[in-house]
Amino acid sequence: MALGLTTWAEMPEPSRSDCHAWGASPNIEFYRILLGIDSDAPGFRKIRIAPSLGKLKEVSGTIPHPLGSVTAAYKLDERGEGTARLVLPEGTTGIFIWNGKEIPLKPGEQVISLSSRH
């Protein structure tokens, strides 16, 4: 902001900041890749959540959905164990994928225990 940029810079300084469509891509990728929230059926009627947290121990976010919103909040300890708090809008279902295991999701809030073991 101090440089007068309103979106991602196009190149290292000196640069400028045009509002190209690709400038917004990091925003959706945070939800899709890091938090793992993605559509699993036409119209986002089913939701697939397969996070890629890397070394992060705590991260959360909420993304708009045609029927409300989808929330994912992860909290892990140093051993890689913890919880995922997931909230799906009414009228949807989904699947949560963690360490190769698939867990069905229902509308509303659910808390899933996470383990670094398979």
Side-chain angles (χ1 to χ4, degrees), residues 31-114:
Y31 297 98
R32 195 176 69 75
I33 294 173
L34 184 65
L35 296 177
I37 302 169
D38 206 355
S39 177
D40 202 29
F44 218 158
R45 286 189 310 271
K46 292 183 182 177
I47 300 162
R48 178 181 188 272
I49 302 179
S52 299
L53 303 180
K55 294 183 180 187
L56 292 174
K57 300 297 179 201
E58 188 171 347
V59 63
S60 64
T62 299
I63 188 169
H65 183 281
L67 298 175
S69 60
V70 178
T71 296
Y74 307 101
K75 189 177 274 192
L76 301 170
D77 62 19
E78 293 303 316
R79 296 182 322 265
E81 299 186 7
T83 59
R85 181 184 157 270
L86 308 170
V87 182
L88 273 58
E90 290 298 320
T92 65
T93 60
I95 189 161
F96 179 71
I97 301 169
W98 182 260
N99 281 337
K101 184 177 179 185
E102 296 185 2
I103 300 167
L105 300 174
K106 59 184 177 18
E109 182 176 344
Q110 46 244 294
V111 177
I112 299 169
S113 293
L114 303 177

